PDB file of all heavy atoms in Angstrom:
ATOM      1  N   LYS A 231     -23.893  70.580 -22.053  1.00  0.00           N
ATOM      2  CA  LYS A 231     -23.155  71.844 -22.108  1.00  0.00           C
ATOM      3  C   LYS A 231     -21.665  71.642 -22.369  1.00  0.00           C
ATOM      4  O   LYS A 231     -20.965  72.589 -22.758  1.00  0.00           O
ATOM      5  CB  LYS A 231     -23.349  72.622 -20.805  1.00  0.00           C
ATOM      6  CG  LYS A 231     -22.790  71.944 -19.565  1.00  0.00           C
ATOM      7  CD  LYS A 231     -23.022  72.792 -18.325  1.00  0.00           C
ATOM      8  CE  LYS A 231     -22.445  72.136 -17.079  1.00  0.00           C
ATOM      9  NZ  LYS A 231     -22.668  72.981 -15.867  1.00  0.00           N
ATOM     10  N   TYR A 232     -21.158  70.416 -22.157  1.00  0.00           N
ATOM     11  CA  TYR A 232     -19.738  70.142 -22.406  1.00  0.00           C
ATOM     12  C   TYR A 232     -19.472  69.669 -23.832  1.00  0.00           C
ATOM     13  O   TYR A 232     -18.329  69.562 -24.255  1.00  0.00           O
ATOM     14  CB  TYR A 232     -19.201  69.105 -21.416  1.00  0.00           C
ATOM     15  CG  TYR A 232     -19.287  69.539 -19.981  1.00  0.00           C
ATOM     16  CD1 TYR A 232     -20.195  68.942 -19.119  1.00  0.00           C
ATOM     17  CD2 TYR A 232     -18.471  70.561 -19.483  1.00  0.00           C
ATOM     18  CE1 TYR A 232     -20.295  69.342 -17.788  1.00  0.00           C
ATOM     19  CE2 TYR A 232     -18.562  70.970 -18.163  1.00  0.00           C
ATOM     20  CZ  TYR A 232     -19.478  70.354 -17.329  1.00  0.00           C
ATOM     21  OH  TYR A 232     -19.567  70.762 -16.012  1.00  0.00           O
ATOM     22  N   GLY A 233     -20.548  69.348 -24.567  1.00  0.00           N
ATOM     23  CA  GLY A 233     -20.387  68.869 -25.932  1.00  0.00           C
ATOM     24  C   GLY A 233     -20.448  67.367 -26.067  1.00  0.00           C
ATOM     25  O   GLY A 233     -20.175  66.817 -27.136  1.00  0.00           O
ATOM     26  N   ASN A 234     -20.820  66.653 -24.990  1.00  0.00           N
ATOM     27  CA  ASN A 234     -20.998  65.190 -25.049  1.00  0.00           C
ATOM     28  C   ASN A 234     -22.466  64.884 -25.351  1.00  0.00           C
ATOM     29  O   ASN A 234     -23.362  65.509 -24.786  1.00  0.00           O
ATOM     30  CB  ASN A 234     -20.589  64.544 -23.720  1.00  0.00           C
ATOM     31  CG  ASN A 234     -19.130  64.787 -23.413  1.00  0.00           C
ATOM     32  OD1 ASN A 234     -18.267  64.683 -24.293  1.00  0.00           O
ATOM     33  ND2 ASN A 234     -18.826  65.105 -22.166  1.00  0.00           N
ATOM     34  N   TRP A 235     -22.701  63.893 -26.233  1.00  0.00           N
ATOM     35  CA  TRP A 235     -24.087  63.649 -26.616  1.00  0.00           C
ATOM     36  C   TRP A 235     -24.899  63.006 -25.499  1.00  0.00           C
ATOM     37  O   TRP A 235     -24.389  62.175 -24.746  1.00  0.00           O
ATOM     38  CB  TRP A 235     -24.178  62.848 -27.912  1.00  0.00           C
ATOM     39  CG  TRP A 235     -23.768  61.398 -27.883  1.00  0.00           C
ATOM     40  CD1 TRP A 235     -22.565  60.876 -28.257  1.00  0.00           C
ATOM     41  CD2 TRP A 235     -24.590  60.278 -27.498  1.00  0.00           C
ATOM     42  NE1 TRP A 235     -22.587  59.501 -28.119  1.00  0.00           N
ATOM     43  CE2 TRP A 235     -23.814  59.108 -27.664  1.00  0.00           C
ATOM     44  CE3 TRP A 235     -25.905  60.142 -27.046  1.00  0.00           C
ATOM     45  CZ2 TRP A 235     -24.298  57.833 -27.386  1.00  0.00           C
ATOM     46  CZ3 TRP A 235     -26.402  58.872 -26.745  1.00  0.00           C
ATOM     47  CH2 TRP A 235     -25.597  57.742 -26.922  1.00  0.00           C
ATOM     48  N   ILE A 236     -26.155  63.424 -25.407  1.00  0.00           N
ATOM     49  CA  ILE A 236     -27.068  62.887 -24.395  1.00  0.00           C
ATOM     50  C   ILE A 236     -28.273  62.187 -25.039  1.00  0.00           C
ATOM     51  O   ILE A 236     -29.017  61.492 -24.363  1.00  0.00           O
ATOM     52  CB  ILE A 236     -27.562  64.001 -23.448  1.00  0.00           C
ATOM     53  CG1 ILE A 236     -28.180  65.146 -24.244  1.00  0.00           C
ATOM     54  CG2 ILE A 236     -26.422  64.488 -22.562  1.00  0.00           C
ATOM     55  CD1 ILE A 236     -28.775  66.253 -23.378  1.00  0.00           C
ATOM     56  N   GLU A 237     -28.447  62.374 -26.351  1.00  0.00           N
ATOM     57  CA  GLU A 237     -29.494  61.665 -27.081  1.00  0.00           C
ATOM     58  C   GLU A 237     -28.994  61.360 -28.483  1.00  0.00           C
ATOM     59  O   GLU A 237     -28.408  62.207 -29.150  1.00  0.00           O
ATOM     60  CB  GLU A 237     -30.777  62.493 -27.168  1.00  0.00           C
ATOM     61  CG  GLU A 237     -31.916  61.776 -27.885  1.00  0.00           C
ATOM     62  CD  GLU A 237     -33.189  62.601 -27.941  1.00  0.00           C
ATOM     63  OE1 GLU A 237     -33.533  63.240 -26.915  1.00  0.00           O
ATOM     64  OE2 GLU A 237     -33.833  62.612 -29.009  1.00  0.00           O
ATOM     65  N   LYS A 238     -29.237  60.115 -28.923  1.00  0.00           N
ATOM     66  CA  LYS A 238     -28.765  59.667 -30.233  1.00  0.00           C
ATOM     67  C   LYS A 238     -29.916  58.908 -30.897  1.00  0.00           C
ATOM     68  O   LYS A 238     -30.364  57.880 -30.403  1.00  0.00           O
ATOM     69  CB  LYS A 238     -27.551  58.753 -30.036  1.00  0.00           C
ATOM     70  CG  LYS A 238     -27.038  58.073 -31.282  1.00  0.00           C
ATOM     71  CD  LYS A 238     -25.850  57.169 -30.922  1.00  0.00           C
ATOM     72  CE  LYS A 238     -25.363  56.363 -32.095  1.00  0.00           C
ATOM     73  NZ  LYS A 238     -24.226  55.484 -31.712  1.00  0.00           N
ATOM     74  N   LYS A 239     -30.388  59.454 -32.031  1.00  0.00           N
ATOM     75  CA  LYS A 239     -31.556  58.902 -32.702  1.00  0.00           C
ATOM     76  C   LYS A 239     -31.234  58.638 -34.159  1.00  0.00           C
ATOM     77  O   LYS A 239     -30.756  59.523 -34.861  1.00  0.00           O
ATOM     78  CB  LYS A 239     -32.723  59.885 -32.581  1.00  0.00           C
ATOM     79  CG  LYS A 239     -34.016  59.421 -33.208  1.00  0.00           C
ATOM     80  CD  LYS A 239     -35.094  60.470 -32.995  1.00  0.00           C
ATOM     81  CE  LYS A 239     -36.419  60.044 -33.617  1.00  0.00           C
ATOM     82  NZ  LYS A 239     -37.467  61.090 -33.427  1.00  0.00           N
ATOM     83  N   LYS A 240     -31.502  57.434 -34.607  1.00  0.00           N
ATOM     84  CA  LYS A 240     -31.167  57.052 -35.981  1.00  0.00           C
ATOM     85  C   LYS A 240     -32.062  57.783 -36.968  1.00  0.00           C
ATOM     86  O   LYS A 240     -33.277  57.854 -36.789  1.00  0.00           O
ATOM     87  CB  LYS A 240     -31.297  55.543 -36.166  1.00  0.00           C
ATOM     88  CG  LYS A 240     -30.648  55.041 -37.468  1.00  0.00           C
ATOM     89  CD  LYS A 240     -30.608  53.529 -37.491  1.00  0.00           C
ATOM     90  CE  LYS A 240     -29.929  53.008 -38.747  1.00  0.00           C
ATOM     91  NZ  LYS A 240     -28.508  53.383 -38.818  1.00  0.00           N
ATOM     92  N   LEU A 241     -31.443  58.310 -38.028  1.00  0.00           N
ATOM     93  CA  LEU A 241     -32.171  59.011 -39.067  1.00  0.00           C
ATOM     94  C   LEU A 241     -32.797  58.039 -40.056  1.00  0.00           C
ATOM     95  O   LEU A 241     -32.420  56.868 -40.134  1.00  0.00           O
ATOM     96  CB  LEU A 241     -31.223  59.973 -39.810  1.00  0.00           C
ATOM     97  CG  LEU A 241     -30.634  61.115 -38.987  1.00  0.00           C
ATOM     98  CD1 LEU A 241     -29.515  61.793 -39.776  1.00  0.00           C
ATOM     99  CD2 LEU A 241     -31.710  62.122 -38.615  1.00  0.00           C
ATOM    100  N   ASN A 242     -33.735  58.537 -40.828  1.00  0.00           N
ATOM    101  CA  ASN A 242     -34.352  57.768 -41.928  1.00  0.00           C
ATOM    102  C   ASN A 242     -34.960  56.444 -41.475  1.00  0.00           C
ATOM    103  O   ASN A 242     -34.842  55.415 -42.123  1.00  0.00           O
ATOM    104  CB  ASN A 242     -33.334  57.519 -43.050  1.00  0.00           C
ATOM    105  CG  ASN A 242     -32.736  58.805 -43.574  1.00  0.00           C
ATOM    106  OD1 ASN A 242     -33.435  59.798 -43.731  1.00  0.00           O
ATOM    107  ND2 ASN A 242     -31.433  58.776 -43.840  1.00  0.00           N
TER     108      ASN A 242
END
Side-chain angles (χ1 to χ4, degrees):
K231 64 180 181 180
Y232 299 110
N234 298 318
W235 70 263
I236 55 176
E237 182 179 318
K238 173 182 175 181
K239 181 179 180 181
K240 194 171 182 64
L241 295 169
N242 303 320

